[in-house]
Amino acid sequence: MSFTSEYTVNGMTCGHCVSAVTEELTRLPGVHEVLVELPTGAVTVVSDGPLPLDEVRTAVDEAGYELVVV
C-alpha cells in the first residue's frame, strides 16, 4: 500500500531545480516516486507511509529551496 503526500516548494525555476528536489526527496526512506510541477511548485511524493515533515523540510533545504507549509 502506498501513501501520497502533497507539498509546495518555492524557488524552483528550471529543470535542474526539479532534478535537485526530486533527488533529495527520493533519498528519504520509503519514498517510491516524486512528481514535481515546475509552474506551480507542487510536489507529490508517493511513499510507504506518512513522512515526517521535518525530514521533508530538510531534504528540500538540502536541494536549496523552501518548503511552504500551509
Side-chain angles (χ1 to χ4, degrees), residues 10-18 38 65:
N10 274 347
M12 296 185 295
T13 59
C14 65
H16 177 266
C17 302
V18 170
L38 182 59
Y65 305 96

Side-chain angles (χ1 to χ4, degrees), residues 5-9 12 17-37 41-48 51-67:
S5 304
E6 304 264 338
Y7 305 98
T8 301
V9 175
M12 296 185 295
C17 302
V18 170
S19 295
V21 169
T22 300
E23 181 179 332
E24 290 297 331
L25 288 172
T26 302
R27 292 181 181 177
L28 294 176
V31 172
H32 300 288
E33 185 176 10
V34 177
L35 304 168
V36 179
E37 293 182 26
V43 178
T44 303
V45 179
V46 179
S47 58
D48 290 334
L51 299 171
L53 187 57
D54 61 327
E55 290 182 19
V56 174
R57 184 188 322 275
T58 299
V60 171
D61 286 348
E62 285 293 318
Y65 305 96
E66 177 189 8
L67 182 68

